[in-house]
Amino acid sequence: MPTEVKAPGVYPEGKKEELKAADAETAAEVRNLKEACILYSPLTNLPYVECEEENYNDQIRLYQKKEDAEAAGKELEEKGIRVVVREFKTVEVQVPVKPDRPDGEKKRLYLNQVRQQLSILPFMGVNAVCCKLAGRNPQTLQLTGLLPEDFENKINRKMYQPTLQLTGLYLMQEARRKKEYVDRKNLQALDEEFSSNLVKAKLFLAVLPPEGQEKEQKIDLKQCRLPYLKHQNGDTFFPLFTDIWEYQKYIQGKHTLRPIQVPFPEIRKFWVKDAKAYMVNPMGFSLPITREMIPRILEKFGMGEESSESAAKEE
């Protein structure tokens, strides 16, 4: 779990260089895979994340062969952990020769979906990949050996909050396990860890500016409308997002919507009439938070009304 992360890449004494060389060789093979399978969690709509037991890396599982992935999935199912196997390949895509002319001449490119999946991991707070190549034992590789150098420096910490995303994933994976397998003590610890990150976070929400003002730099929030989610059972939810990536998954190219970022203590100022709760990352781990829960969460971490107002003034 995130709170237990130790320094990654710790090797047994006397075998450091040998193991590092083996990791580098395997990492090169993984980077060049044209197809692979990844275990996904249907409970979060993202790769299944687990805490590796030896060095406490936060890792996903990647398999070169589908049958290996399916066998691992069955083992997890026996522990009450729900996963699905998703296949990723190299696919041909057509893109405009000139970006400013989307309907013009097209050129052919090849998209490596395996590399694409690896590239999203930093935004999830994942720092390692457990790779199972054909005919070999699983091997945990650091993400730093699989992605280009300085990739971490490209994560805009104002737009992305990997730790918040990661603790939310761990929480919802545990909360939605089969009831007989849920570890209540662990669930409570995960809930507390996520909440401690949440009270310090700035969440994104979508607003719809008045007609004709969609492209203006400054808009009056009082004149904006707020979109909502309608569940199939009729319940209404107000969507919130941990980062710009989750926001973009929700709006799906609807450029009339605008993102704004709001400190968690101020979220209560934004509400949709008759909504049952807020919904954090509706396209991801989908965590509901009722309006009544917010004061209790803030109070628990010493951020009651007076504290949150003071913090807002200092900012």
Side-chain angles (χ1 to χ4, degrees):
M1 285 170 276
T3 50
E4 299 176 314
V5 172
K6 297 180 181 178
V10 179
Y11 296 91
E13 193 65 33
K15 293 190 176 182
K16 183 175 181 180
E17 296 305 320
E18 179 184 341
L19 291 173
K20 284 181 70 175
D23 282 359
E25 183 178 336
T26 304
E29 292 184 65
V30 172
R31 286 196 301 270
N32 291 314
L33 286 175
K34 292 186 177 180
E35 57 183 57
C37 294
I38 293 175
L39 296 188
Y40 254 67
S41 170
L43 312 176
T44 66
N45 298 312
L46 284 169
Y48 169 69
V49 183
E50 63 186 357
C51 185
E52 180 256 333
E53 295 180 356
E54 184 178 349
N55 295 315
Y56 300 101
N57 291 297
D58 299 299
Q59 66 180 21
I60 69 158
R61 296 197 191 188
L62 179 147
Y63 300 83
Q64 186 173 16
K65 296 295 183 180
K66 186 177 181 180
E67 51 266 34
D68 288 336
E70 290 175 337
K74 288 180 180 178
E75 289 181 6
L76 290 173
E77 288 282 351
E78 291 173 359
K79 300 176 183 178
I81 300 172
R82 295 167 56 192
V83 294
V84 295
V85 175
R86 289 197 183 178
E87 298 180 76
F88 297 94
K89 301 180 179 181
T90 300
V91 296
E92 181 183 313
V93 294
Q94 298 286 332
V95 299
V97 173
K98 297 181 178 180
D100 58 340
R101 299 183 61 185
D103 297 327
E105 184 184 355
K106 299 288 193 300
K107 61 181 177 181
R108 183 170 57 186
L109 293 178
Y110 291 93
L111 174 65
N112 187 315
Q113 295 176 333
V114 180
R115 291 180 189 170
Q116 186 182 47
Q117 284 293 301
L118 293 175
S119 70
I120 74 172
L121 300 181
F123 304 101
M124 295 168 52
V126 170
N127 74 313
V129 178
C130 180
C131 305
K132 173 72 170 70
L133 299 181
R136 303 190 211 170
N137 293 326
Q139 186 173 346
T140 293
L141 301 174
Q142 293 296 307
L143 205 55
T144 50
L146 296 171
L147 295 179
E149 287 186 28
D150 79 343
F151 71 90
E152 290 179 323
N153 296 329
K154 296 180 181 179
I155 301 177
N156 185 332
R157 299 294 169 173
K158 292 183 179 179
M159 305 294 279
Y160 300 94
Q161 302 176 98
T163 302
L164 182 63
Q165 174 80 278
L166 181 65
T167 51
L169 291 173
Y170 274 124
L171 172 61
M172 298 316 289
Q173 285 180 177
E174 181 66 29
R176 292 172 179 157
R177 287 177 72 177
K178 295 178 181 178
K179 290 183 179 180
E180 61 269 29
Y181 292 97
V182 174
D183 182 334
R184 294 294 171 184
K185 187 175 180 180
N186 184 40
L187 181 61
Q188 184 177 357
L190 292 171
D191 181 46
E192 186 149 335
E193 187 172 9
F194 172 76
S195 298
S196 70
N197 290 316
L198 183 64
V199 296
K200 297 175 287 187
K202 289 185 177 180
L203 300 180
F204 285 90
L205 56 90
V207 299
L208 181 62
E211 189 173 349
Q213 298 183 32
E214 291 86 358
K215 296 184 180 180
E216 291 187 13
Q217 289 292 324
K218 293 184 178 180
I219 53 176
D220 184 354
L221 291 179
K222 293 181 180 178
Q223 297 181 32
C224 294
R225 287 181 291 163
L226 299 172
Y228 59 88
L229 292 164
K230 198 78 171 182
H231 193 273
Q232 58 186 9
N233 66 5
D235 289 337
T236 300
F237 295 92
F238 182 35
L240 298 173
F241 312 93
T242 57
D243 50 56
I244 199 69
W245 175 42
E246 291 290 343
Y247 167 84
Q248 290 168 340
K249 286 196 289 184
Y250 168 75
I251 66 168
Q252 296 183 349
K254 297 174 184 175
H255 299 297
T256 51
L257 291 173
R258 294 269 291 275
I260 65 170
Q261 204 172 15
V262 180
F264 179 73
E266 298 180 26
I267 286 297
R268 285 170 294 173
K269 297 177 182 178
F270 301 88
W271 187 245
V272 176
K273 185 180 178 182
D274 298 326
K276 183 175 182 179
Y278 295 97
M279 184 65 75
V280 183
N281 290 357
M283 309 304 291
F285 53 64
S286 301
L287 191 155
I289 298 176
T290 66
R291 206 176 187 188
E292 294 74 25
M293 288 170 63
I294 294 179
R296 296 200 295 269
I297 295 173
L298 292 172
E299 190 66 36
K300 182 176 182 179
F301 293 94
M303 297 181 66
E305 295 291 343
E306 294 182 4
S307 300
S308 57
E309 287 178 11
S310 174
K313 289 179 181 178
E314 289 177 8
E315 199 170 296

